[in-house]
Amino acid sequence: MAEMAQCRVDGEIGCGFMGGIFHRRSYWPRKTSVHSLPSDGSNDVKKAPTTDIFKRPPRSSASGDSACIVSNSSNPSTSHRRSSTSSSSTNSGQMDSGDERKPKREPARKSTELSSNIMLIGHMGNLKQTGKSLMPNPRNGFGKIRGNGAIMGNIVRKNSDEFRQFQGVVNKLDPEKFKCLGNEAFKQGRFDEALALYDRAIALDSNKSSYHSNKSAALMGLGRLVEAIFECREAIRIEPSYHRAHHRLAKLYIRVGEAEKAIYHYKHSGTYADAEDIAQAQALQKHLSSCNMARKMKEWDSLLKDTQVAISYGADSAPQVYALQAEALLNLHRHEEAYATYQKAPNLSNELFDRPVGACIMMIKARVFLAAGRFEDAVAASQHAARLDPSNEEVKNVVRKSRAVTSARLSGNLLFKASKFSEACVVYSEGLENDPYNSVLLCNRAACRSKLGQFEKAVEDCTAALIVRPSYSKARLRRADCNSKLERWEASVQDYEMLIRESPGDEEVGRALFEAQVQLKKQRGEDTRDLKFGSNLIFINSNERFRHFVTSPGMAVVLFCKKTNHKHELQVLEQVCKRFLSINFLKVEIEDHPYLAKSERLSSTPAFRIYKNGATVKEITGNNREMLESSVKLYSS
């Protein structure tokens, strides 16, 4: 909401008689009977001035420019707080209470005005004269029509009602009316509608700076920042001293991380900008410089912190800041976080930035895509960076690395499909020389090594892949399988349990987990004679059996029910237990075991109880399957 509040629109609300039609869906007059045209200019319409709708009150300083100077005692932290809380009057989302000029009355219309208006909209109706000329008359705008029945389009000399209706159509072409309607829509948060109305005003008069400035505000409300910047630039081109447009453009430049440009436009904002505005921009500029220095020195932890601070100072839509943050995470071997961070960055046009900056953004994008396994996208992004900055050696290295890794993955996959596992392993290793932490190449090489019986090395490759991408399920499944072949059952069970939590309905993973659990129990010397795949639904026949399951390490779900009345609850239990094969589900019939229901102090029956490591963590009454599934998934993670 803070960004929306910054997008206040220009011009005053209230256009005389137009106020009565603000809430009508159609902008064209209905066909109703109208009265005769008043004489002597009594039908004049108030014309709305082109001033800001939210005009900031004049500051008490002696000079308008003095408010743009930052004193030596200004505290950047104050600016930081102001940015994060949006507490200033500029961002409060309320109308400024400063002086607003009232609409000026337009001079009485002269007889020549109608004919000029008719010339402008000659396409509306058959506006022609049959043989005779229409002479002006100072009294009502028409002279005598020579000849009987001579008419001009649909306007008859004696029918002043029709003339009044036609003049209403002329008024509808006044761009100020569309601007006022746009302002009203903007105030109510209807940014799409406001944008369309401002566009109609601009179509009628493209040289009005306030129309472009208001359109910029609507675009900001829609999150279309690049277009908003271009509209502000156009407003300033038309009217270089337009303070409101300078101030709005400075705010936009803060958001996209162009601190130097923001400072320039703040200094040209007159009384709209204050010392805190410039202090915020200067603090942002300082942190952006720190980011560049940390990147140059390869201090990735410092770079990560500086980018986070830059975002907190208002650069919440700066692609270069998010790109630098992603690069820091890549170099800290946190590839999954790097990809997620880059996905948060707005996709702004490179035309907004200098070519070296755009090339740096695209280069980091290529590295992020490469780490995420999007090889073709990585090559395309690196080539784009090379076009923006052909002489940049760092960009050239990324282009070369992207091509080499992509080629290695493609060639290795073809060899693997041909069952040439040794050759594929060599090719994947060559690709890893260019990108040692590429999780896809590591996982693919692990597959080759598993086929070659090199299970220990395969586990090492999978572990390296999971370090940089913890949610890489293919690498986790492959490691669990290799650990099973090495009879490392405990490690295998841990990986399978994590996979079954992510995909509870995967029967193949569930079966592999069951087999690993059986082998682990055998390895520990436990009895496995009663174990059967899919037998995690257990009927309790004694207090000792109940205590054994609910106090064992891990999790158990118990249904307390009656034999005949709670069949639907038992069906829910059976459905859920099939999705969580690693969890024990127990059924306790309270007619046979009333002491258990009493000792567990149930609030009502039927009820589901979730136990974890011997303690009750959740009780669910009734037969709410969705709540039971979500709770089991939550407490099993």
Side-chain angles (χ1 to χ4, degrees):
M1 294 300 293
E3 293 83 7
M4 292 164 51
Q6 295 171 2
C7 309
R8 298 170 301 177
V9 293
D10 306 313
E12 292 187 354
I13 295 295
C15 302
F17 70 91
M18 294 299 293
I21 64 169
F22 277 161
H23 300 293
R24 292 182 56 173
R25 297 180 62 86
S26 173
Y27 301 122
W28 299 99
R30 296 182 179 177
K31 292 184 178 181
T32 58
S33 59
V34 293
H35 303 289
S36 300
L37 177 70
S39 61
D40 299 330
S42 61
N43 192 39
D44 291 343
V45 181
K46 293 182 181 181
K47 184 177 181 181
T50 59
T51 57
D52 289 347
I53 184 171
F54 302 113
K55 185 174 179 183
R56 179 180 289 208
R59 300 190 179 278
S60 59
S61 57
S63 171
D65 296 332
S66 62
C68 301
I69 301 174
V70 182
S71 65
N72 294 332
S73 61
S74 62
N75 189 350
S77 64
T78 304
S79 171
H80 184 191
R81 291 192 300 271
R82 176 181 178 272
S83 172
S84 60
T85 60
S86 301
S87 60
S88 67
S89 62
T90 305
N91 303 332
S92 63
Q94 301 176 353
M95 294 179 62
D96 293 344
S97 58
D99 296 333
E100 293 190 3
R101 289 176 288 177
K102 296 181 179 179
K104 296 181 180 179
R105 180 174 293 276
E106 193 176 75
R109 298 186 182 274
K110 297 182 180 181
S111 60
T112 57
E113 185 175 348
L114 174 64
S115 59
S116 65
N117 287 336
I118 293 174
M119 293 291 288
L120 287 173
I121 59 169
H123 64 284
M124 303 183 70
N126 298 322
L127 304 180
K128 62 181 180 178
Q129 183 179 0
T130 58
K132 304 298 181 179
S133 62
L134 184 66
M135 302 301 294
N137 186 317
R139 181 177 179 183
N140 57 13
F142 288 93
K144 294 181 179 180
I145 300 180
R146 299 175 185 176
N148 295 330
I151 62 171
M152 187 172 185
N154 294 328
I155 303 176
V156 184
R157 174 184 180 274
K158 293 183 180 181
N159 193 343
S160 60
D161 285 352
E162 291 187 15
F163 166 59
R164 182 186 179 101
Q165 184 178 7
F166 180 78
Q167 189 183 40
V169 175
V170 174
N171 287 337
K172 288 296 183 182
L173 295 181
D174 184 356
E176 283 294 313
K177 310 305 179 186
F178 289 117
K179 172 187 167 182
C180 290
L181 290 171
N183 292 350
E184 186 69 19
F186 183 91
K187 287 179 61 180
Q188 297 176 11
R190 305 194 310 271
F191 301 122
D192 280 315
E193 184 180 337
L195 179 61
L197 290 164
Y198 294 142
D199 276 333
R200 297 184 72 175
I202 291 171
L204 293 170
D205 185 356
S206 62
N207 292 320
K208 205 64 169 291
S209 58
S210 62
Y211 301 165
H212 292 281
S213 182
N214 284 11
K215 181 179 177 181
S216 173
L219 288 166
M220 287 177 70
L222 294 170
R224 294 157 61 177
L225 301 185
V226 174
E227 296 169 79
I229 287 173
F230 289 149
E231 289 299 327
C232 267
R233 286 177 177 174
E234 182 64 13
I236 292 169
R237 184 194 66 77
I238 296 169
E239 188 178 343
S241 62
Y242 193 0
H243 293 167
R244 159 58 80 187
H246 278 289
H247 189 262
R248 182 167 289 142
L249 186 54
K251 291 288 185 185
L252 284 163
Y253 276 136
I254 287 288
R255 292 193 63 188
V256 299
E258 294 286 335
E260 187 175 351
K261 294 178 182 178
I263 292 171
Y264 170 84
H265 287 284
Y266 272 141
K267 290 182 177 179
H268 288 76
S269 300
T271 56
Y272 280 99
D274 55 22
E276 288 187 7
D277 285 330
I278 299 181
Q280 177 192 5
Q282 289 173 338
L284 176 59
Q285 186 179 36
K286 177 182 176 182
H287 286 290
L288 291 175
S289 298
S290 297
C291 288
N292 293 329
M293 182 60 66
R295 182 176 187 271
K296 184 178 179 181
M297 301 298 294
K298 298 184 179 180
E299 297 174 351
W300 306 119
D301 285 314
S302 298
L303 177 58
L304 187 59
K305 292 176 183 177
D306 284 326
T307 54
Q308 291 169 344
V309 174
I311 292 171
S312 71
Y313 269 87
D316 60 351
S317 299
Q320 67 270 36
V321 174
Y322 284 99
L324 291 175
Q325 191 173 87
E327 185 180 35
L329 290 166
L330 281 176
N331 287 286
L332 292 170
H333 309 310
R334 294 157 63 179
H335 293 185
E336 202 165 274
E337 294 176 66
Y339 185 75
T341 297
Y342 196 89
Q343 292 295 95
K344 295 178 185 176
N347 188 20
L348 301 184
S349 171
N350 284 321
E351 297 176 4
L352 190 64
F353 308 100
D354 296 334
R355 293 176 72 87
V357 174
C360 181
I361 294 173
M362 296 306 297
M363 178 189 67
I364 296 171
K365 181 178 182 179
R367 290 190 59 198
V368 170
F369 283 170
L370 201 62
R374 294 176 57 177
F375 297 98
E376 290 77 12
D377 293 334
V379 171
S382 65
Q383 291 174 343
H384 189 179
R387 288 193 296 270
L388 291 173
D389 194 358
S391 61
N392 190 315
E393 290 298 325
E394 190 176 9
V395 171
K396 290 179 182 179
N397 288 334
V398 172
V399 172
R400 179 189 56 77
K401 184 170 78 170
S402 299
R403 288 174 176 171
V405 173
T406 302
S407 176
R409 180 245 192 174
L410 180 61
S411 300
N413 289 357
L414 292 174
L415 291 167
F416 186 89
K417 289 178 181 178
S419 299
K420 298 180 180 180
F421 305 120
S422 297
E423 293 88 339
C425 189
V426 171
V427 172
Y428 290 137
S429 297
E430 290 173 353
L432 287 164
E433 290 177 4
N434 293 281
D435 190 5
Y437 295 95
N438 190 279
S439 58
V440 174
L441 294 187
L442 286 166
C443 188
N444 286 5
R445 190 172 69 176
C448 294
R449 288 176 166 175
S450 177
K451 292 290 186 181
L452 295 169
Q454 302 172 6
F455 302 119
E456 191 69 54
K457 290 184 177 180
V459 169
E460 291 175 2
D461 280 346
C462 289
T463 301
L466 288 167
I467 287 173
V468 294
R469 286 180 64 188
S471 66
Y472 194 5
S473 58
K474 187 177 289 187
R476 190 171 299 280
L477 181 62
R478 189 154 289 150
R479 187 174 72 175
D481 180 67
C482 289
N483 276 322
S484 295
K485 290 181 171 63
L486 292 169
E487 297 186 357
R488 296 174 180 171
W489 302 113
E490 187 172 0
S492 181
V493 166
Q494 289 176 355
D495 280 335
Y496 280 133
E497 285 181 337
M498 188 170 291
L499 288 165
I500 202 67
R501 282 197 292 268
E502 295 172 357
S503 303
D506 193 325
E507 185 174 345
E508 184 179 352
V509 174
R511 188 174 293 277
L513 171 61
F514 173 76
E515 295 296 336
Q517 288 174 329
V518 170
Q519 295 300 324
L520 179 60
K521 287 181 179 294
K522 287 182 178 180
Q523 193 178 63
R524 293 173 175 173
E526 298 179 15
D527 185 11
T528 61
R529 286 175 297 178
D530 295 334
L531 292 178
K532 182 180 178 182
F533 176 64
S535 61
N536 56 328
L537 178 56
I538 302 164
F539 291 85
I540 297 300
N541 54 20
S542 68
N543 182 51
E544 292 74 17
R545 188 171 175 82
F546 173 80
R547 295 298 169 196
H548 167 74
F549 283 107
V550 299
T551 58
S552 298
M555 183 171 158
V557 180
V558 183
L559 168 62
F560 295 90
C561 64
K562 294 181 179 180
K563 291 181 180 180
T564 56
N565 298 343
H566 300 149
K567 292 182 179 180
H568 185 66
E569 286 73 15
L570 180 58
Q571 292 176 356
V572 169
L573 187 70
E574 291 172 347
Q575 291 169 351
V576 175
C577 77
K578 292 177 182 179
R579 294 180 54 82
F580 299 90
L581 298 173
S582 64
I583 297 173
N584 289 321
F585 289 81
L586 315 179
K587 178 189 175 186
V588 176
E589 296 176 343
I590 57 178
E591 295 97 335
D592 295 336
H593 308 285
Y595 51 91
L596 284 179
K598 184 177 181 180
S599 64
E600 295 302 306
R601 298 179 180 177
L602 296 174
S603 57
S604 63
T605 56
F608 294 97
R609 275 276 185 93
I610 299 176
Y611 296 82
K612 191 165 186 179
N613 299 326
T616 303
V617 294
K618 181 82 171 180
E619 180 174 328
I620 302 169
T621 58
N623 51 27
N624 193 330
R625 176 181 171 179
E626 291 76 13
M627 181 178 291
L628 180 61
E629 281 194 10
S630 61
S631 299
V632 172
K633 188 173 182 179
L634 173 65
Y635 290 108
S636 64
S637 60

